[in-house]
Amino acid sequence: MTITSDDFLAVDVRVGTVLSAVPNAAARKPAYVLEVDFGPEIGRKTTSAQLTERYRPERLVGRQVAAVVNFPPKRIAGVKSEVLVLGFPDAEGHVVLIGVDHPVPDGGRLF
């Protein structure tokens, strides 16, 4: 399936810095509740993310991540999930986060 540039631009992918990461005790599959700062335009957002296989909470805090910020909020395991943090599966199917290799301002949009 091919898409147009307008289709691509409809998905708002931004960079943000993880402010906190705590286990989500209500999740059926192990997950963390993340609070991510997307800068002054978008602000702080929460999400539940299944990152426990490759990441520890203390290693997530301060890390910049990419996320879709224009999905409607959804309740996931008791958490108001406002964004979708992006990653790729490794050989075992565990999430490997998409990130930046140099610090960039929070809220920057993927283009």
Side-chain angles (χ1 to χ4, degrees):
M1 173 173 106
T2 60
I3 65 170
T4 67
S5 58
D6 287 340
D7 294 330
F8 175 76
L9 292 173
V11 180
D12 193 357
V13 178
R14 304 283 182 127
V15 65
T17 300
V18 177
L19 300 175
S20 66
V22 296
N24 184 347
R28 283 182 284 140
K29 294 182 180 179
Y32 297 128
V33 176
L34 305 179
E35 182 180 14
V36 184
D37 184 359
F38 291 97
E41 180 184 342
I42 296 169
R44 295 176 175 195
K45 301 292 181 181
T46 58
T47 191
S48 181
Q50 295 175 358
L51 305 173
T52 61
E53 292 294 331
R54 291 203 150 269
Y55 301 96
R56 298 289 155 247
E58 62 274 7
R59 299 293 305 247
L60 289 167
V61 173
R63 180 188 177 110
Q64 287 194 299
V65 296
V68 176
V69 299
N70 65 333
F71 284 148
K74 181 179 187 178
R75 289 233 57 86
I76 300 176
V79 173
K80 181 181 178 185
S81 189
E82 301 174 287
V83 299
L84 175 65
V85 174
L86 300 173
F88 292 106
D90 66 11
E92 291 81 37
H94 306 273
V95 177
V96 176
L97 290 169
I98 294 174
V100 295
D101 61 357
H102 297 285
V104 296
D106 288 332
R109 185 169 181 165
L110 178 73
F111 60 84

